[in-house]
Amino acid sequence: MKGKKLSGNIKSCPTAAILFGFTVVMLILYLALPQTEFSDAENRYLTQRPRFNLAGIKDGSYMESFDNYTKEQLPFREFFVKLKAVSEMILLKKENNNIVLGKDGYMFEKLFSPGKRLEKNEECIKKFTEDNDREIYLLIAPNSFEILKEKVPEGLPRIDEKKYIDGFYSDLSSKENLHTIDVYDELRTGSKAGKQVFYKTDHHWTTFGAYLSYGKICESMGIEKEEYTDHKVNLVNDFYGTYQAKYKSPFAVPDTIEYYDIKIEDYVINGTEEHKGLYDMEKTEIYDKYAMFLWGNYGISEIISEKTSTKDELIVIKDSYANCLIPFLTGNFRRIVIIDPRYYGGSLKELMEKEKGTPVLILYNFSNFNEDSNIYKILK
Amino acid sequence: MIFSSLLFLFWFIPIFFTVYYLVPQRYKNPVLFIFSVIFYGFGEPKYLLLIFLSITVNYFAGILMDKTSENKALRTTVFVLCIVFDIGMLMFFKYINFFIENINALTGLKLSAVNITLPLGISFYTFQIMSYVIDLYRGKTVAQKSILKLGTYLIMFPQLIAGPIVVYSRVSDALDERRIKPEEIEEGVRIFIIGLASKVLLANNIGMLWEELKTVGYGNISTLLAWLGALSFTLQIYFDFNGYSLMAIGIGKMLGFEFPLNFDLPYTSASVTEFWRRWHITLSSWFREYVYIPLGGNRKGRLRTYINLFIVWFLTGFWHGAGWNFILWGLYFFVLLSLEKLFLKNILIKSRIFARLYTGIAVIVSWVIFAITDMGDILKYIGRMFSINTGNDIVYYLGNYAVVMAIGCAVSLGYVKKLYDKVNNRYIKMAAGVILFVISVAYLADEGYNPFLYFRF
């Protein structure tokens, strides 16, 4: 293509000239544009252009990171990603990146069959119950596609979560110190009454969904449910959650996060980081707004509530579904220790010995319980 | 590295072609060689040695055969040793664990599996290099005196990992000298884009349905969904495989090589015999040229013809992967082709509609055997297709895939090509190319599913 007859040659291969020019410009932009370090929308660090190194070439890690780098630092990536989402819509696809768009702007994940971890995790819970002589409360929360069946597109195969949760609960019914908490009916009724119990663009339940479940926890524990109707409710608007992060619809309807003014004495994360409130208001400014609850997910954290009238304590072993529910429990307990096994490096056995007799609430959502590979840590 | 990646499109292409077009003629082969090493080494650095070894052995075998043309026995010995080496490498790296597994199952021995992964493209480049030594032995081509040229032929990145299988004699002249014309570059770019779009927009998109049925569970799907799923794999494998071939052919043109057509609208066939004349043409011609005809073809009587066919189709199946399902898949075609030879072709000729329907069903079922490695699962899936299973799952999947699969059908049946050929306006063709390219980039930017299907080949 180069040489004296360049212009004549280009006329004979216009597509080639345009596209070759395009690839050259893209390469220059890769090199010239500053690299993005952290993607808010995807809530993860992006691969940087790797440094040339022989060891990395030998074991292939250099090539692998380079490949990832070209994907994650693609110039105009946002534009291309949106273009794909629009193209999928034109093709009348109801899903993108495995997230399904249902009725009324609700997005759902796809879950067809029990995961490899489900049985193992169930065994862990059984063993934990046998090992620990104390009251244990177990809440496996159904996911939105189970509760909002009517909003799921017709014909989409999905796992019967209720069947699995019920089956697991009845397996455990012989354990005297274990109390299973079934929130299915509560959430269904709430939803049928027109309340929003799950977010449209996120995999979590809403604060209201969590509140309904809190009611069932109180029932099971035999404690008095605090009415939060007298608390002031605050709103965080324009929340796009994890489903939208994958689906990337240009037309997604944003959610609104509700949170109550609940005062506490102290909140300590990982034994060092101290806060005077339950919510991290800075998170309301970023993409992952749900992370405002309890300041995010941490291995171990501890709340001292303002409820000086009681000495009751509680240990919560949980995933992120619990983050918007735990604030309600501060009305019933003076001290709450929160463990997220995914991030906890310490020994739970030791902790349990130290906290003799303190009741435990285990709270997971089904989809995560089905797959999580950290639950075994509750036995370590 | 694979073609359908941003790494290839925005790093490899601009750098490689700038260098390749700028250097004088005599440096084009070295440049192509070096960049091909980088291309292959990006994914499988350790198996570069294997290709180098293959180049060296076959190169010296060629030289020796050239030098020993007077001494027939010696020449034949060199030839046989070289073929044993080529096939031996393929056997070892591709099939050793399959053999070990089956010997264990058969005899109760407990031989442990060898810890190797299949070297990318070994089935393709082994067949390519064998075409060189066999043609040389038969006097159909002359020995390549330059190891660089032979090496460039073998490791050349366009067709290295997924075909088409380019026999040596086809490109031997171009290895010495090739003129690169702008019209050819333009044509090459167009073919490349069609290949890229086939792979990224159609194959990946449609293939997700097939992939999903694995997690839904074959036992849970309705009859209609089973057919839709099988059809989705039928389209996926075509667009994926043909997409790769087109990309290779397109790049070949940009480099100054003329690679053979690999797929000629196979889904328009009216018999399985015709299907195999149109599907993966370079592989079937390879088997015909280097196995079937040397065995005697159809010239040694009826029985020998069918025995030869059996051998060829057993090998064809086995070539596609070290698994019983691939052998079964090959033999399935042996049976159908034999039946057609025996009597079926006379019936097929009478009704084109029946012929198309029969071929369609035969091919779709063949892909189920091809795509599922477990024998029990194959039976389960085909059972699902040929029994009545109700369910509303089809509603969701049809809604989701109807448009893209309809486009896939229209393209694979040749309607879109007809339309494209009617367009005379070069600006429209240019715009179509650019748009397809940009959308393909969009799908690569946000890829959920972009498999490389030939890692077993």
Side-chain angles (χ1 to χ4, degrees), chain B residues 95-249:
Chain B
Y95 298 104
I96 186 81
N97 283 329
F98 177 76
F99 291 134
I100 289 175
E101 253 173 55
N102 282 289
I103 290 170
N104 285 349
L106 214 63
T107 60
L109 286 174
K110 289 206 165 54
L111 304 172
S112 48
V114 185
N115 184 19
I116 41 171
T117 50
L118 181 66
L120 199 61
I122 191 169
S123 310
F124 290 97
Y125 72 71
T126 303
F127 270 36
Q128 295 204 143
I129 198 70
M130 280 168 72
S131 81
Y132 166 67
V133 276
I134 297 174
D135 279 353
L136 184 61
Y137 179 73
R138 302 196 297 196
K140 287 191 174 172
T141 188
V142 290
Q144 177 54 266
K145 299 280 161 39
S146 155
I147 192 165
L148 177 74
K149 281 182 190 162
L150 189 71
T152 307
Y153 158 65
L154 196 66
I155 203 172
M156 207 192 301
F157 72 88
Q159 87 289 21
L160 175 63
I161 53 175
I165 297 166
V166 181
V167 296
Y168 172 75
S169 53
R170 189 182 173 98
V171 291
S172 55
D173 290 343
L175 283 169
D176 291 332
E177 199 184 357
R178 48 191 182 271
R179 298 263 323 266
I180 303 162
K181 295 186 213 127
E183 295 79 18
E184 292 287 304
I185 295 177
E186 179 73 0
E187 183 64 16
V189 167
R190 272 199 204 139
I191 296 175
F192 178 81
I193 293 171
I194 293 170
L196 181 69
S198 287
K199 159 70 184 156
V200 176
L201 302 182
L202 292 174
N204 288 356
N205 221 334
I206 295 172
M208 280 190 305
L209 170 55
W210 175 254
E211 200 55 33
E212 188 156 313
L213 294 189
K214 286 182 199 164
T215 35
V216 174
Y218 300 146
N220 301 325
I221 56 179
S222 68
T223 308
L224 289 174
L225 185 57
W227 278 95
L228 192 74
L231 180 64
S232 81
F233 185 76
T234 302
L235 293 171
Q236 179 191 16
I237 185 102
Y238 169 65
F239 286 118
D240 206 291
F241 208 170
N242 187 33
Y244 263 94
S245 287
L246 289 176
M247 286 188 269
I249 293 168

Side-chain angles (χ1 to χ4, degrees), chain B residues 187-380:
Chain B
E187 183 64 16
V189 167
R190 272 199 204 139
I191 296 175
F192 178 81
I193 293 171
I194 293 170
L196 181 69
S198 287
K199 159 70 184 156
V200 176
L201 302 182
L202 292 174
N204 288 356
N205 221 334
I206 295 172
M208 280 190 305
L209 170 55
W210 175 254
E211 200 55 33
E212 188 156 313
L213 294 189
K214 286 182 199 164
T215 35
V216 174
Y218 300 146
N220 301 325
I221 56 179
S222 68
T223 308
L224 289 174
L225 185 57
W227 278 95
L228 192 74
L231 180 64
S232 81
F233 185 76
T234 302
L235 293 171
Q236 179 191 16
I237 185 102
Y238 169 65
F239 286 118
D240 206 291
F241 208 170
N242 187 33
Y244 263 94
S245 287
L246 289 176
M247 286 188 269
I249 293 168
I251 295 170
K253 271 190 189 292
M254 294 182 232
L255 298 175
F257 290 98
E258 202 55 46
F259 294 155
L261 186 69
N262 215 10
F263 295 85
D264 183 15
L265 296 174
Y267 293 159
T268 60
S269 305
S271 69
V272 172
T273 312
E274 187 188 349
F275 172 75
W276 271 104
R277 277 203 297 269
R278 293 169 172 273
W279 179 272
H280 204 175
I281 299 167
T282 58
L283 180 73
S284 352
S285 351
W286 195 97
F287 273 112
R288 189 170 54 246
E289 179 72 20
Y290 300 111
V291 181
Y292 184 65
I293 292 176
L295 284 173
N298 57 2
R299 286 163 291 133
K300 292 196 173 168
R302 250 192 160 173
L303 183 64
R304 271 301 292 274
T305 304
Y306 286 104
I307 291 175
N308 291 344
L309 272 178
F310 179 88
I311 294 171
V312 165
W313 286 99
F314 174 86
L315 291 176
T316 302
F318 204 34
W319 180 89
H320 283 84
W324 283 106
N325 66 311
F326 293 110
I327 296 175
L328 180 69
W329 178 76
L331 296 180
Y332 168 89
F333 279 118
F334 161 71
V335 171
L336 288 177
L337 292 166
S338 303
L339 290 177
E340 288 185 7
K341 242 183 173 30
L342 280 170
F343 67 94
L344 207 55
K345 63 168 182 270
N346 300 325
I347 301 173
L348 293 176
I349 252 168
K350 283 178 196 146
S351 158
R352 195 161 166 81
I353 294 175
F354 171 74
R356 292 284 290 268
L357 198 66
Y358 145 81
T359 311
I361 292 171
V363 168
I364 289 174
V365 170
S366 86
W367 290 129
V368 174
I369 303 172
F370 185 90
I372 304 176
T373 41
D374 183 87
M375 289 291 163
D377 281 345
I378 294 177
L379 288 178
K380 196 195 258 177

Side-chain angles (χ1 to χ4, degrees), chain A residues 10-114:
Chain A
I10 286 180
K11 271 188 194 149
S12 347
C13 55
T15 320
I18 291 173
L19 289 181
F20 183 71
F22 180 45
T23 61
V24 172
V25 169
M26 288 297 275
L27 177 59
I28 293 170
L29 289 177
Y30 264 116
L31 295 167
L33 291 178
Q35 305 183 48
T36 317
E37 257 189 58
F38 185 81
S39 162
D40 258 356
E42 287 160 274
N43 196 20
R44 64 179 179 130
Y45 287 92
L46 300 182
T47 315
Q48 306 292 301
R49 184 163 56 244
R51 264 175 213 285
F52 188 82
N53 67 93
L54 278 175
I57 288 182
K58 235 177 146 182
D59 64 14
S61 63
Y62 173 78
M63 287 83 104
E64 206 184 315
S65 5
F66 206 100
D67 198 28
N68 289 334
Y69 153 75
T70 60
K71 282 179 207 153
E72 291 166 25
Q73 304 286 350
L74 174 73
F76 316 117
R77 182 156 178 262
E78 301 258 302
F79 162 77
F80 284 118
V81 165
K82 283 259 148 66
L83 178 64
K84 181 210 170 192
V86 171
S87 158
E88 292 282 272
M89 281 183 180
I90 293 172
L91 293 171
L92 303 181
K93 285 238 181 171
K94 295 191 191 87
E95 56 179 78
N96 193 12
N97 295 324
N98 271 323
I99 299 298
V100 176
L101 181 61
K103 290 185 192 116
D104 304 332
Y106 275 96
M107 297 178 185
F108 301 99
E109 66 187 290
K110 290 198 270 186
L111 189 58
F112 302 130
S113 42

Side-chain angles (χ1 to χ4, degrees), chain A residues 318-329:
Chain A
K318 58 90 191 177
D319 65 16
S320 58
Y321 262 52
N323 296 11
C324 66
L325 183 143
I326 289 174
F328 298 124
L329 289 167

